[in-house]
Amino acid sequence: MGSLMPAWLMPVAASTHAAKVDRIFIGLTLVSAAIVLLVVGFVVTFAIRFRRGSKADRGPLPEVVSREFEIGWTAATLFVFVFIFWWAASAEIGAFSPPKDALEVHVVGKQWMWKTQASNGAREINELHVPVGVPVRLVLTSQDVIHSFYIPAFRLKRDAVPDQTTEAWFQATKTGTFQLMCTEYCGTDHARMLGRVIVMEPQDYAAWLSAQPEGDDLAHQGERLFSEKGCSGCHAPGSTVHAPNLAGIWGQAVQLDGGKRATVDAAYVRDSILQPKRDVVAGYAPVMPSYEGLLSDGEIQELTAYIRSLGAGPREVRTPGVPPLSSRVPGAQSERSPAMVPGAPVADTPSPAGPVVRP
Ligand code: CUA
């Protein structure tokens, strides 16, 4: 399909999604061109045929034109529009549903650089090395203002928004270096917020990766933070404070106070850390304090990665002495805790349900 367009008219297409976007773009261009030609053709034909003084028949249209033809082209137009909607919408939905085995890369935008960190530990600034032919899932956030992560060759654009996580994914189809840019005006050096995506053969990628300084992966860093920041005081399996146990909950649906349900994903974990009183899991008191301003976006990503690693199937839970996942179904108990201020002494006996009193 790419051969229909001269190379100078389209940027390089280097991902599976780019091929889809280009097909839609070219398809829409062809349909539009056909309609323009048809309309201009009619305008010119009728202008000549019905010019002043011509002998053309100006009487009423035959019945078949004003009925069957009318119905015919209305139906055809409707069909074309519904088809275009389905075509574009299915590609767009696909662009937001990464495959399960995707390599995960966390991206933090800040004035004015892109910080990336793959789940295998590789950290970079304004660069992203990825293997060709492997789906890569991006988890984006921003440290300050809204940025937008844009790789033209992949036809991929996704906003990085402070206090939120957004996701996108791509699968590169060509090796090479492709431009990465910020496409949301974010201050003085917005135009310099550029970077490169380097797509490598898998063996080259493996070599590059092993040459990187030994870094902890996100989940390990998150595990450390989990105790440093006091999360484990309440959420550790052995804690006497009644807080939801986090092992095995990733990807699960949880019942919230007030009858709603939520799926535990990056956005939910983030909200639970920053606005813990908003979506409280049913059966628990809304006593967790907000960590707003106490954790950086990078730290939230690390904690999220840790929680995720606890629910990631066969992977071993690293906390020593933790019982198997099946015995730790959240909501199995119903007593309430007095308070869950980080570092606060842990109460030995759960207080009765009712207004929460801080010690
Ligand atoms: Cu970041 Cu523009």
Side-chain angles (χ1 to χ4, degrees):
M1 184 64 88
S3 56
L4 275 176
M5 280 288 192
W8 52 266
L9 209 57
M10 297 283 273
V12 186
S15 76
T16 50
H17 185 60
K20 282 188 208 164
V21 172
D22 288 0
R23 274 197 291 274
I24 293 169
F25 176 75
I26 291 165
L28 286 177
T29 307
L30 291 179
V31 169
S32 311
I35 290 170
V36 167
L37 281 179
L38 189 71
V39 172
V40 170
F42 277 132
V43 168
V44 172
T45 310
F46 288 155
I48 293 169
R49 188 176 147 99
F50 296 105
R51 70 189 181 281
R52 187 150 63 147
S54 83
K55 299 267 184 304
D57 180 11
R58 289 159 207 262
L61 285 170
E63 185 100 325
V64 67
V65 174
S66 60
R67 201 181 51 232
E68 277 83 351
F69 272 52
E70 190 83 42
I71 294 169
W73 69 57
T74 307
T77 313
L78 179 70
F79 175 79
V80 168
F81 272 94
V82 169
F83 170 75
I84 289 171
F85 172 76
W86 167 81
W87 193 19
S90 64
E92 201 57 30
I93 291 167
F96 292 119
S97 335
K100 286 233 178 324
D101 55 345
L103 172 68
E104 192 172 300
V105 176
H106 290 256
V107 177
V108 179
K110 61 167 286 192
Q111 287 166 322
W112 289 273
M113 64 172 77
W114 293 106
K115 295 196 283 188
T116 65
Q117 182 168 15
S119 48
N120 54 28
R123 286 164 186 270
E124 302 178 74
I125 286 180
N126 288 342
E127 281 199 351
L128 176 60
H129 288 72
V130 291
V132 70
V134 172
V136 176
R137 177 161 156 256
L138 301 171
V139 181
L140 303 129
T141 190
S142 164
Q143 218 168 294
D144 35 46
V145 299
I146 300 175
H147 303 274
S148 190
F149 186 90
Y150 181 37
I151 308 172
F154 296 172
R155 312 289 188 269
L156 174 94
K157 188 188 279 186
R158 196 82 168 105
D159 278 5
V161 184
D163 300 329
Q164 275 185 33
T165 48
T166 48
E167 291 197 11
W169 77 279
F170 64 83
Q171 179 171 335
T173 52
K174 277 187 187 136
T175 56
T177 301
F178 304 100
Q179 195 170 34
L180 153 68
M181 54 178 94
C182 177
T183 178
E184 176 80 48
Y185 181 68
C186 55
T188 314
D189 278 344
H190 158 70
R192 292 211 200 138
M193 198 165 158
L194 304 169
R196 305 187 304 160
V197 178
I198 296 115
V199 181
M200 311 166 94
E201 293 293 345
Q203 65 272 22
D204 297 340
Y205 178 72
W208 173 83
L209 195 62
S210 60
Q212 293 308 297
E214 193 65 41
D216 251 353
D217 69 21
L218 280 177
H220 272 98
Q221 289 159 354
E223 184 178 17
R224 200 177 313 131
L225 276 177
F226 194 72
S227 61
E228 274 174 25
K229 299 285 176 181
C231 315
S232 57
C234 302
H235 288 287
S239 169
T240 45
V241 175
H242 180 55
N245 197 314
L246 305 179
I249 61 163
W250 186 266
Q252 302 293 313
V254 289
Q255 192 71 47
L256 301 178
D257 245 5
K260 277 197 298 174
R261 285 170 83 78
T263 303
V264 179
D265 55 11
Y268 178 77
V269 169
R270 183 186 188 90
D271 281 355
S272 301
I273 293 171
L274 298 178
Q275 301 173 51
K277 302 215 175 8
R278 205 173 71 178
D279 286 327
V280 177
V281 177
Y284 294 89
V287 290
M288 175 171 156
S290 168
Y291 278 78
E292 186 91 59
L294 300 175
L295 294 170
S296 73
D297 286 297
E299 287 174 330
I300 292 172
Q301 286 184 341
E302 288 162 9
L303 285 170
T304 307
Y306 172 61
I307 293 168
R308 184 157 174 229
S309 75
L310 295 177
R315 184 170 171 167
E316 268 302 296
V317 174
R318 279 190 300 267
T319 318
V322 175
L325 292 182
S326 53
S327 69
R328 284 179 278 123
V329 180
Q333 299 162 285
S334 62
E335 80 275 18
R336 283 154 192 256
S337 65
M340 288 185 226
V341 182
V346 167
D348 289 319
T349 39
S351 67
V356 175
V357 182
R358 292 183 182 227

